[in-house]
Amino acid sequence: MASAPTGRFAPSPTGRLHAGNIFAYLMAWLAARSRQGRVVLRIEDLDAQRSRAEHADAIMRDLEALGLCWDGEPLYQSARADAYRAALEEIERAGGAYECFCTRAEASVQSAPHLGEGGGYTGACRELGAEERARRAEGAARAGRGAAIRCRMPDTAVCFTDIFQGVQRVQVRAGFDDAVLRRSDGLFAYQLAVVVDDAEQGIDQVVRGFDLLASTGKQVRIQQLLGYEQPVYGHIPLFVNSEGRRLSKRDGDASLDSMLRAYGSPAAVIGHIASIAGIIDRDEPATPHELLSIYDESALRQRWEGCVSVECR
Ligand code: GLU
């Protein structure tokens, strides 16, 4: 890429940061700064029930304490409904969306379980005739439900070169991958918001966990519907616990507080995380700036290509 990139931190304020989040933001920061790029912050607080302002504040304090500073003002998704509405209308005008009246249980179909993909959509509301649509709409209204809006995905393979995973071919399936753009309760959904905000914030480099690789195909399709440029993606291994379960903010796994107690200083926490991930060989304190001076993306690609998870010790 010719110009300096803009990367991002996109935390959901549902708890304190854990080691896996810190690893993701460290990598986003290193990948952007190693190209003299900017890093912007977005608070993904679309879901008011799960998000808390105090978690957002704590995440920002923690990032600063860790030396993971961002540029400019944070963008709060909770303040962006007008932008999401406008984007949704554009997709609807292009025939790229349809109403879905299914309950959550009716909507979901399981796929072969693989990481980050619990299942997909049955496609039940995708090709409704006018009569059947009216019947379903009435049924949903009687049950006190509105309609969700889904994106009409084509059967296609989205190909891109991932910074850490190399050449990727993500299959998008019509029906099964028809992502919710607006939920039946009226909340705009992650897949729409992330695409609109990545474009709004000028993000052309997205570094995040391996679990979101499957979402990338859907996001690229939504970008195409909205005429946006496709960012460069880099998917990094997930931190898992000793049972192989992904760390979670809500479960308080490997929280920054507990790591600070165990390792003593922010630099010791960063050094520990960098050593788990194989960025440095020895578990010793390191600041993000120190890691920047030894950052070697092609070595990391070799190490992480095809690597889904690493155990957080
Ligand atoms: N908000 C998401 C998270 O905290 C990240 C989404 C993304 O990077 O696209 O896991």
Side-chain angles (χ1 to χ4, degrees):
M1 221 178 336
S3 59
T6 300
R8 46 115 153 143
F9 304 144
S12 305
T14 54
R16 292 297 290 275
L17 296 182
H18 60 57
N21 305 131
I22 298 169
F23 173 45
Y25 304 144
L26 174 64
M27 290 312 303
W29 189 92
L30 289 171
R33 298 294 196 225
S34 68
R35 296 178 174 82
Q36 286 75 48
R38 285 162 44 82
V39 182
V40 297
L41 174 63
R42 177 164 77 237
I43 303 294
E44 299 212 325
D45 57 353
L46 276 177
D47 187 337
Q49 277 188 340
R50 293 179 49 211
S51 304
R52 298 265 177 283
E54 59 267 29
H55 290 319
D57 294 342
I59 286 171
M60 288 190 264
R61 279 199 306 275
D62 289 346
L63 286 169
E64 280 169 346
L66 290 162
L68 295 172
C69 296
W70 61 92
D71 302 295
E73 291 300 312
L75 187 77
Y76 287 82
Q77 290 194 323
S78 54
R80 300 265 302 144
D82 288 347
Y84 305 143
R85 188 168 303 111
L88 180 58
E89 281 167 12
E90 196 174 328
I91 294 173
E92 286 176 325
R93 274 197 300 277
Y98 63 91
E99 285 182 312
C100 170
F101 306 101
C102 297
T103 62
R104 191 184 283 255
E106 285 164 353
S108 67
V109 61
Q110 289 306 307
S111 64
H114 78 81
L115 235 134
E117 197 184 0
Y121 177 50
T122 58
C125 291
R126 186 179 158 106
E127 307 294 350
L128 296 181
E131 221 169 277
E132 180 64 5
R133 172 174 300 116
R135 199 185 64 74
R136 286 197 191 216
E138 212 183 291
R142 259 202 315 274
R145 277 195 328 272
I149 310 282
R150 288 184 182 270
C151 189
R152 188 182 295 282
M153 294 286 169
D155 272 316
T156 186
V158 171
C159 299
F160 59 96
T161 302
D162 189 284
I163 302 173
F164 301 110
Q165 302 297 329
V167 175
Q168 294 297 304
R169 189 174 187 282
V170 177
Q171 192 62 41
V172 176
R173 288 144 295 184
F176 188 87
D177 286 317
D178 287 358
V180 173
L181 300 173
R182 203 190 67 200
R183 297 176 4 180
S184 61
D185 61 7
L187 275 188
F188 292 99
Y190 161 73
Q191 303 287 9
L192 177 69
V194 70
V195 167
V196 172
D197 288 341
D198 280 344
E200 166 70 23
Q201 293 186 289
I203 285 154
D204 50 15
Q205 182 178 281
V206 173
V207 173
R208 59 186 180 186
F210 202 95
D211 54 327
L212 288 164
L213 185 61
S215 280
T216 302
K218 301 177 203 176
Q219 291 171 18
V220 166
R221 170 64 184 156
I222 298 170
Q223 283 154 13
Q224 290 167 350
L225 282 166
L226 291 167
Y228 297 157
E229 299 237 342
Q230 182 177 328
V232 172
Y233 289 94
H235 290 89
I236 58 172
L238 295 176
F239 275 22
V240 295
N241 68 9
S242 55
E243 280 106 55
R245 181 179 57 74
R246 222 178 114 187
L247 303 186
S248 132
K249 279 201 203 87
R250 273 177 299 170
D251 295 339
D253 290 326
S255 70
L256 178 56
D257 283 341
S258 64
M259 284 190 294
L260 280 172
R261 276 195 300 276
Y263 301 101
S265 68
V269 170
I270 292 281
H272 179 65
I273 287 172
S275 73
I276 294 174
I279 302 171
I280 50 177
D281 296 331
R282 299 229 315 260
D283 187 346
E284 56 191 17
T287 63
H289 275 102
E290 284 162 354
L291 294 176
L292 190 56
S293 64
I294 56 151
Y295 179 72
D296 180 347
E297 213 159 77
S298 57
L300 292 176
R301 184 180 314 119
Q302 274 178 22
R303 182 180 283 270
W304 291 342
E305 204 166 334
C307 171
V308 175
S309 61
V310 293
E311 187 183 328
C312 179
R313 300 175 300 273

